[in-house]
Amino acid sequence: MDVDPLCIIIVKNGSRGDRLLFRYPYSDEVTLETKIKDKRPTPYSLITEENIQTPPEPHTSNISNGKLVGFHDKTLSNLFAVKSELSDSKFELKVNDVRFVGHPLRLNPTLVRVPTQGKRKPSTIILVNIVFALKATINHDVVNCYHDLSKRLGIALRHEEYRCQFLSSQAKIMLAAHDEATQLPEDGQVSPFQLILDRSLLAQHLKQAYDELCGSGIVQLRLNNWIEVSFCLPQKVHRSLATGLPVDCEGLLKGLKALKPYHTFLLLVERAELLHSLSPDASPALWRLLHVEESHLTPFFTLAADADLTLTQVFMLVGHLVYWGKATIIYPVCSTNVYVLSPHAPTVINSQLADTFRDEFPGASLHVMLADFSLPTSLSDKCHPINSPIQQQEQVQQILWLLKHGLLQQLHTYVYLAPTLTLDTDNSRGSSREIGGTGPLGSHGTSSPASTSIPTPTVHEPPPLSQEPASLTSQQPPGHHPDITQDALHRAAVQLSHPASESDLGSVCSDERSPSPGVTLGTTPELSVHHQLDSLLSLAEKEMVMKVEAAQNPEDLKLFAKLCVYFRGHHHLEEIMYRANLRRSTLLHLIEKFRPVLITCQHPDDSITLFSYTK
């Protein structure tokens, strides 16, 4: 869908009435044609009356070649110079196939500073409205973005009017150009908007905003060389990142809320270019974050420590970079990452990306790289150890290039607890109900964001390792299996916060070697583990788990009881490793031991794919 504006219009209302000051783009041909059409051949010619028997002409569109047509300046000024009761609120009007959106702002003449040396009078402008003309079929989230830009421009313009009467001076220039254009002879007719564009700084600012919206989607201008106005149209910016398809803005905002401490960001532009484009008054925290080298190899919680920032600050800064199309979210690049070709990757032979890839990596072929990832391939298989360090480094840079352009997506391994159901009907029915409650693979509920502002993500940190596990003894009847909700998951994670460290295993072995009088070997650990299993598994699931040979080992059973809360297909291995503070080898070894009741599958992480998937 085309999200470019049709026209940008500024109108004012004051003590001398309403007036359209400037509009862009404008058409000289339409203006001259209207004047010639309305002109009578002689003063004595008769005006023919409309023939009521002739059927009216069919409705014509008000859009021609992507521009707004069919509206006179007086009509637009009457529509947009609203009453004071409608000021300081969203203005939206649909006429035929055009939707107008703006934010009229009321000015207070008593706050305008009048220079003491000059003899300038206070401003007579009461209201100003900057309106964008859009296609009526455009999405509502795009309309909200244009309303936000209109509000930002209006507030900056009001500030400059209070400071130095910038709007009043520019309005005088525009009105003088209108009067001059009407007094020109017929053979020298020019559009008044062309005169305004040559003389007015405000008109040049509005033209710059329109051109940048139609170009990159990012507006960066300094109004009156004083107030900086920055704006990003995410539907336009993220359209050009990968394949030209529009990005779901709701999915983008939802992904910003789902950032995890083990994620990281990958810059889509050169670091030096991004640092050069920053404003002089940019946040010092952003400068420190961007100066961390090889950020694509470092997770967020390590980046926060290296940049001397909190994890929440890192999330907010990275969220702004992603929203502005300067970065994307990935899992830190390592040898165990598994990548596969993105479903939106262009595979045509004469692809523009193929030429860009050839220019970036001479002698390499993009199609050969894409063919290597037609099936899931790990980075360790791609970068062979027999290759030289220079070749391995170049291969990693090629992987990063593919990730930047959205041609690859990472697959994560999810674990599901799926015991064989061979018990009685009641237990089987209870177990089937619980397994079926996990939902389809990788499915998560979605919610629409409340606004288009960048949300602050929730910091998901693992439970503190020093926290004592709460008692798992419950008064629930045997076989009761509560639903695994988010609250239950968090409660279980807090209860099972102790990792299977060597010190814990050593203490268990010490207890077995020197038991206390009257206490059976391993009674207390086994009792705690069984209570943990009872609170997280159904009776059928627990019985099938206990039949596995590895369950006879207290150490393996203890670790399984700690991790079984994550074996519902909602957490991939990287998240389990982070939450449980485990090594990958330990986790994979445990999954292999309990293979009779565990199955694994690979699919993308929803919290990352939301940044690249389209509607």
Side-chain angles (χ1 to χ4, degrees), residues 414-431:
Y414 292 80
V415 186
Y416 290 82
L417 178 63
T420 305
L421 303 180
T422 58
L423 301 180
D424 55 33
T425 306
D426 295 337
N427 293 338
S428 299
R429 182 165 51 250
S431 180

Side-chain angles (χ1 to χ4, degrees), residues 401-415:
W401 191 94
L402 296 177
L403 292 174
K404 287 181 180 180
H405 292 80
L407 303 181
L408 293 183
Q409 63 180 7
Q410 184 177 356
L411 298 181
H412 295 268
T413 302
Y414 292 80
V415 186

Side-chain angles (χ1 to χ4, degrees), residues 209-277:
Y210 176 86
D211 293 339
E212 291 179 346
L213 286 172
C214 295
S216 63
I218 295 179
V219 178
Q220 289 183 327
L221 60 88
R222 189 172 292 273
L223 189 67
N224 194 24
N225 299 322
W226 188 264
I227 298 294
E228 184 176 0
V229 178
S230 301
F231 173 79
C232 172
L233 186 63
Q235 297 83 358
K236 181 79 173 183
V237 172
H238 294 274
R239 174 194 295 267
S240 60
L241 290 182
T243 61
L245 297 175
V247 172
D248 182 7
C249 188
E250 294 183 0
L252 176 66
L253 297 177
K254 178 177 173 57
L256 294 178
K257 294 181 180 180
L259 294 181
K260 301 295 179 63
Y262 51 81
H263 287 157
T264 188
F265 69 97
L266 176 64
L267 289 178
L268 301 177
V269 297
E270 295 296 332
R271 190 183 304 269
E273 178 184 352
L274 179 58
L275 291 173
H276 179 72
S277 63

Side-chain angles (χ1 to χ4, degrees), residues 99-373:
R99 186 182 304 275
F100 300 97
V101 59
H103 190 89
L105 286 176
R106 181 178 175 84
L107 304 181
N108 188 357
T110 59
L111 297 179
V112 178
R113 297 182 181 179
V114 181
T116 55
Q117 297 179 358
K119 298 181 179 180
R120 297 170 60 182
K121 298 180 180 179
S123 174
T124 59
I125 300 177
I126 301 176
L127 181 139
V128 62
N129 190 8
I130 300 176
V131 182
F132 290 95
L134 312 172
K135 293 183 178 179
T137 57
I138 208 165
N139 291 336
H140 198 65
D141 56 346
V142 181
V143 176
N144 290 334
C145 290
Y146 276 105
H147 167 251
D148 181 54
L149 177 57
S150 174
K151 184 177 180 180
R152 294 189 183 195
L153 291 173
I155 293 177
L157 196 58
R158 183 172 61 181
H159 176 274
E160 286 302 284
E161 175 67 11
Y162 291 165
R163 187 178 70 89
C164 60
Q165 286 190 321
F166 175 70
L167 178 59
S168 298
S169 60
Q170 296 298 309
K172 291 181 180 180
I173 296 175
M174 296 178 180
L175 294 177
H178 281 285
D179 297 338
E180 181 180 345
T182 57
Q183 298 175 2
L184 292 176
E186 296 180 1
D187 56 350
Q189 288 287 341
V190 295
S191 173
F193 301 121
Q194 180 61 44
L195 300 176
I196 294 174
L197 191 59
D198 296 337
R199 304 173 183 177
S200 172
L201 180 60
L202 177 58
Q204 297 172 8
H205 287 329
L206 298 180
K207 178 182 180 297
Q208 177 185 349
Y210 176 86
D211 293 339
E212 291 179 346
L213 286 172
C214 295
S216 63
I218 295 179
V219 178
Q220 289 183 327
L221 60 88
R222 189 172 292 273
L223 189 67
N224 194 24
N225 299 322
W226 188 264
I227 298 294
E228 184 176 0
V229 178
S230 301
F231 173 79
C232 172
L233 186 63
Q235 297 83 358
K236 181 79 173 183
V237 172
H238 294 274
R239 174 194 295 267
S240 60
L241 290 182
T243 61
L245 297 175
V247 172
D248 182 7
C249 188
E250 294 183 0
L252 176 66
L253 297 177
K254 178 177 173 57
L256 294 178
K257 294 181 180 180
L259 294 181
K260 301 295 179 63
Y262 51 81
H263 287 157
T264 188
F265 69 97
L266 176 64
L267 289 178
L268 301 177
V269 297
E270 295 296 332
R271 190 183 304 269
E273 178 184 352
L274 179 58
L275 291 173
H276 179 72
S277 63
L278 293 180
S279 175
D281 57 348
S283 172
L286 181 59
W287 284 87
R288 295 203 302 270
L289 180 64
L290 293 178
H291 276 86
V292 178
E293 298 294 336
E294 295 185 343
S295 58
H296 57 276
L297 303 177
T298 310
F300 283 147
F301 60 86
T302 306
L303 283 176
D306 294 343
D308 193 19
L309 302 172
T310 64
L311 198 55
T312 303
Q313 285 180 299
V314 173
F315 281 167
M316 295 181 65
L317 294 174
V318 172
H320 280 279
L321 292 176
V322 173
Y323 187 84
W324 282 74
K326 305 299 183 182
T328 186
I329 301 300
I330 62 171
Y331 184 80
V333 179
C334 59
S335 60
T336 57
N337 289 2
V338 178
Y339 298 104
V340 71
L341 187 64
S342 173
H344 304 291
T347 57
V348 295
I349 297 178
N350 299 326
S351 173
Q352 183 179 1
L353 287 177
D355 298 335
T356 307
F357 184 83
R358 192 180 303 109
D359 297 338
E360 185 74 18
F361 305 99
S365 173
L366 176 62
H367 297 90
V368 173
M369 287 289 298
L370 297 181
D372 293 341
F373 291 98

